[in-house]
Amino acid sequence: MTVFELDPVYWHVCRWLVAGVFAVALAHKLHAPRAFAAIVREYAVVPDGAAPALAALVAAVEAGVIAGLTSSFAVRPGAALALFLLAAYAGGIALNLARGRRHIDCGCFGPAAAGRHALSGWLLLRNGVLGIPAALLLLPVAARALGWLELAGIAAATATALVTYAAADALAANAPRVVRIGR
């Protein structure tokens, strides 16, 4: 029986895409930890007094994701941790959407991120889409050497994916304002 193996080019693009998204998110959270703790408090998933500890734990786990994905030996644990966080984020978002609490800032890229990003179904979709490359990192990787052209392609594809992700996120965050202006 042949086991499916992911081509190393795709594997590296997935690796650096997920690491990049989590690195940007963590940088924003570390820039304003008290404001991020206030966002966590708004989710109302833990008692108010525990929100700062949960915010610190989220930042620590995001750091673990980045460390794992950028290491040469812990990519799979980093990817599994990323999937866990994405599922936890989706659970918190879904719970608050079900409660009718759409006004909460998602806190996805921390309080220092440009623009407020209220909870919406888009965030659930975004987390699911980002989960795909994280899940692909759990697959076996085909063993083959990469040439300089493939390495350049990995860098270009990763940069393109990160910019596309950021652009889609910015469009979704600003969609309510765009719709109001157009009416």
Side-chain angles (χ1 to χ4, degrees):
M1 184 167 121
T2 305
V3 175
F4 177 80
E5 292 180 329
L6 192 62
D7 185 86
V9 169
Y10 298 117
W11 187 83
H12 282 290
V13 171
C14 291
R15 173 186 183 189
W16 296 113
L17 167 64
V18 176
V21 169
F22 275 93
V24 170
L26 178 61
H28 286 296
K29 289 172 180 115
L30 294 178
H31 179 70
R34 285 190 180 131
F36 179 61
I39 290 171
V40 170
R41 187 175 294 110
E42 274 291 306
Y43 273 82
V45 294
V46 295
D48 284 352
L54 180 57
L57 178 62
V58 166
V61 175
E62 284 187 352
V65 168
I66 297 161
L69 293 175
T70 59
S71 75
S72 59
F73 58 89
V75 174
R76 283 190 179 85
L81 206 50
L83 286 169
F84 169 78
L85 273 179
L86 291 169
Y89 297 158
I93 293 166
L95 175 65
N96 279 285
L97 288 175
R99 292 174 175 167
R101 301 185 60 190
R102 296 179 179 275
H103 68 281
I104 300 171
D105 183 356
C106 77
C108 306
F109 289 106
R116 198 172 174 287
H117 206 322
L119 299 186
S120 68
W122 154 253
L123 296 173
L124 296 173
L125 175 64
R126 184 190 68 183
N127 284 355
V129 169
L130 186 58
I132 294 169
L136 289 173
L137 291 170
L138 300 175
L139 296 173
V141 183
R144 71 175 183 85
L146 298 175
W148 70 268
L149 193 56
E150 289 169 311
L151 294 174
I154 289 168
T158 301
T160 301
L162 284 168
V163 168
T164 302
Y165 182 89
D169 193 61
L171 286 171
N174 292 303
R177 285 177 257 178
V178 172
V179 170
R180 274 194 304 246
I181 292 170
R183 288 187 182 172

